[in-house]
Amino acid sequence: MIEPHVPAPPGSPPSWGGPCGSGGSSGPEAPARLPVRPAVGRFLVLAGVFVCAACGLVYELELVALASYLIGDSVTQASVVLSVMVFAMGIGSLAAKRLRGLAAAGFGALEAVLALVGGSSAMVLYAVFAWTGGWGGLWADGPRVLLVAFSLAIGVLIGAEVPLLMELIQRVRRQDPGGAVADLFAADYVGALVGGLAFPFVLLPFLGQLTGALLTGTVNAVVGAALVLGLFRRDLTRRARWLLLTANAVVLALLATATVLADDFERAARQAVYGQDVRVAVRTDVQEVVLTGDADGRPLDLFLDGRLRVRGSDERRYHEALVHPAMSGPHARVLVLGGGDGLAVREVLRHPGVRRVDVVELDPQLARLARQDPGLSTLNEHAYGDARVHVAPGDAFHRLRSTPSATYDVVISDLPDPSVTASTKLYSQEFYGLLRRVLAPDGRLVVHAGPVLAAPRAFWTVDATLRAAGLRTVAYRVAADDPGAAASDNGSASDAGTASGPGPAPALEPDPDRATAVLRAPRGWGFLLAARTAPTLRPDPAPPRPRTLTPDSLARDARDAARTRIPGLPPSTLVHPRY
């Protein structure tokens, strides 16, 4: 609620701090000469505060979302962006004290710069990731450095808004400082609420990250220019008005041009990341799905949100190692967590005696693509066409809470490794407690727990967490057929409980067939086979035999994994994640 006018105490100094570069003001203590009534002018200033606050929060959320997508570890990226930006806002507020005497001109210039920097931030950050990601050396940290730079710049500019807006609102009509601050921050916080809700529910799903940021910058520039040039134009010299008008016209032209070229830019950046043979690129409700290859003899690769999840040249070794040891025993009822690509389901269906396979997949559009795409459906041998397979879209955690006890003989956890922040809850003691409950008394659970050699602490924390949930475990590590091949560092296709986001920044491997690089995974995968009693690690003795596994090779795999054991690690829980 906007407070009514309250006269300042007698003898109090003017709040606008001197002349504002005015060519028409009658003196330093005179209020601004407005083209509207003061009440209307005050409302317009607060409306501008509302819009600018909404735009500022969109810039902030855009940086967090894109950094989590490109760099990984959403908790770390959010912490970096928020802390750096809040710090920079304080610096900007202090710096703006020197501009209070030129509040109108300063605010106009500030909004033009903020619109350009904030609106273009997503496109610039994505460009650096796409075209310099494979250069190595210092360039490997380019996105991180740029993230901090944008957070600093945008924070300084947002922080400088508040002192200048306080001067402008007091020049419209003087008010006691407490009431003016209350009105200003009320409009600011409500605007932040609208911007925070608009980003995930409107801008991101309907416009995407790049166009959404560019449109936000356009709105920011238009509102800032309209407020200054429309309401406070008499506080500006003719030269200042023309400079602001020209600057905003240039900013709007740049943002409009970038918006028109956004689709072409995204296609070019996608080719720089994935190569020239992108065959399918779709944005589902959960993630970006890209299929490359499967043409002219090139193996099919599946990327989810920019991360390589399946490489056709070595996926069979991964999926046989994941599925076949768990199927050694009763396996009539099988639950697959993740596995939207259908490749784990393919291996399950090879075993006679399977009566039902439930797939819990957060992204039903990925499962639909695995059913309908010629290349992917051929690779999974049309697993989703089998009447025994039932796809249940939704969150794995919530689904397990409503699943009756002892429902499944086998549970296959085909999820991104636990270093992916979004997957952490699916590697918690609470989650494994739910899995233990839905397992039959002689049931078995297999968990893809990430690369043993590259992240032994995370791998053995998964082991400790399974044991804390009342399960006995045996670990094994399977090497890739081709140690130099770029394979999925996060296992298979997707995450059943949350959008499969990127893990830690990967190493990069040059590839002459790709414009930039291929994400290279560790040279093997780590798994944990768990049950209520000590499980026996062996392939299912019944036909068909796996092509890449033997009892002897699995025994060696178990010995290799055991050599890396880190004893005494505490389990990971929902309230104390340890990955």
Side-chain angles (χ1 to χ4, degrees), residues 316 343 346 350 376-384 547:
R316 186 174 298 276
L343 299 172
R346 176 198 68 196
R350 293 186 190 280
L376 191 53
S377 63
T378 299
L379 190 63
N380 65 38
E381 298 179 4
H382 307 282
Y384 285 121
R547 303 179 189 178

Side-chain angles (χ1 to χ4, degrees), residues 409-542:
D409 300 305
V410 177
V411 176
I412 296 168
S413 180
D414 187 16
L415 303 171
D417 69 54
S419 62
V420 178
T421 304
S423 298
T424 299
K425 74 173 184 178
L426 303 181
Y427 288 84
S428 66
Q429 182 178 340
E430 293 86 348
F431 185 69
Y432 291 140
L434 292 174
L435 288 178
R436 184 180 186 275
R437 182 178 61 82
V438 303
L439 274 176
D442 56 352
R444 294 157 313 287
L445 162 68
V446 64
V447 176
H448 165 246
V452 183
L453 297 181
R457 179 169 292 272
F459 179 88
W460 291 110
T461 297
V462 178
D463 178 78
T465 305
L466 284 164
R467 291 176 177 271
L471 295 167
R472 304 283 297 277
T473 63
V474 58
Y476 58 108
R477 171 187 173 269
V478 176
D481 283 331
D482 178 4
S488 167
D489 62 356
N490 288 336
S492 184
S494 69
D495 180 339
T498 183
S500 68
L508 293 169
E509 175 181 287
D511 186 334
D513 295 327
R514 300 209 172 187
T516 301
V518 175
L519 299 180
R520 190 207 320 164
R523 297 179 177 181
W525 308 275
F527 305 95
L528 289 161
L529 183 65
R532 285 185 172 86
T533 59
T536 301
L537 184 62
R538 63 176 184 177
D540 185 2

Side-chain angles (χ1 to χ4, degrees), residues 222-541:
V222 168
V223 170
L227 185 64
V228 173
L229 296 174
L231 196 60
F232 294 97
R233 60 178 179 269
R234 294 174 182 172
D235 275 10
L236 305 173
T237 63
R238 180 183 296 274
R239 181 183 179 186
R241 287 197 294 269
W242 277 107
L243 284 175
L244 280 179
L245 187 62
T246 302
N248 278 278
V250 171
V251 169
L252 289 174
L254 291 173
L255 294 175
T257 301
T259 302
V260 171
L261 298 177
D263 289 342
D264 293 334
F265 168 85
E266 189 170 359
R267 280 192 292 270
R270 185 180 293 122
Q271 289 182 352
V273 174
Y274 303 120
Q276 299 295 322
D277 58 343
V278 175
R279 187 167 54 80
V280 175
V282 295
R283 166 64 64 176
T284 71
D285 294 336
V286 175
Q287 59 201 341
E288 182 186 55
V289 180
V290 174
L291 286 174
T292 66
D294 192 39
D296 300 327
R298 185 180 176 92
L300 180 145
D301 294 347
L302 170 65
F303 296 81
L304 299 180
D305 273 346
R307 300 288 295 182
L308 182 61
R309 300 301 187 196
V310 170
R311 185 172 178 90
S313 61
D314 60 8
E315 63 79 19
R316 186 174 298 276
R317 185 163 181 80
Y318 167 85
H319 288 100
E320 287 191 347
L322 173 71
V323 173
H324 286 261
M327 299 294 285
S328 180
H331 50 247
R333 303 162 299 171
V334 180
L335 172 65
V336 178
L337 303 176
D341 50 46
L343 299 172
V345 178
R346 176 198 68 196
E347 297 303 319
V348 169
L349 294 176
R350 293 186 190 280
H351 293 78
V354 174
R355 296 202 307 266
R356 181 182 178 97
V357 182
D358 290 331
V359 181
V360 179
E361 169 59 55
L362 182 65
D363 189 355
Q365 293 165 280
L366 173 60
R368 190 177 304 119
L369 181 67
R371 180 195 297 268
Q372 297 175 352
D373 179 76
L376 191 53
S377 63
T378 299
L379 190 63
N380 65 38
E381 298 179 4
H382 307 282
Y384 285 121
D386 194 299
R388 295 170 293 176
V389 178
H390 305 268
V391 179
D395 181 276
F397 209 109
H398 292 161
R399 179 174 175 83
L400 288 175
R401 296 182 71 177
S402 60
T403 301
S405 300
T407 299
Y408 297 105
D409 300 305
V410 177
V411 176
I412 296 168
S413 180
D414 187 16
L415 303 171
D417 69 54
S419 62
V420 178
T421 304
S423 298
T424 299
K425 74 173 184 178
L426 303 181
Y427 288 84
S428 66
Q429 182 178 340
E430 293 86 348
F431 185 69
Y432 291 140
L434 292 174
L435 288 178
R436 184 180 186 275
R437 182 178 61 82
V438 303
L439 274 176
D442 56 352
R444 294 157 313 287
L445 162 68
V446 64
V447 176
H448 165 246
V452 183
L453 297 181
R457 179 169 292 272
F459 179 88
W460 291 110
T461 297
V462 178
D463 178 78
T465 305
L466 284 164
R467 291 176 177 271
L471 295 167
R472 304 283 297 277
T473 63
V474 58
Y476 58 108
R477 171 187 173 269
V478 176
D481 283 331
D482 178 4
S488 167
D489 62 356
N490 288 336
S492 184
S494 69
D495 180 339
T498 183
S500 68
L508 293 169
E509 175 181 287
D511 186 334
D513 295 327
R514 300 209 172 187
T516 301
V518 175
L519 299 180
R520 190 207 320 164
R523 297 179 177 181
W525 308 275
F527 305 95
L528 289 161
L529 183 65
R532 285 185 172 86
T533 59
T536 301
L537 184 62
R538 63 176 184 177
D540 185 2

Side-chain angles (χ1 to χ4, degrees), residues 14-30:
S15 63
W16 49 85
C20 295
S22 167
S25 176
S26 59
E29 299 185 10

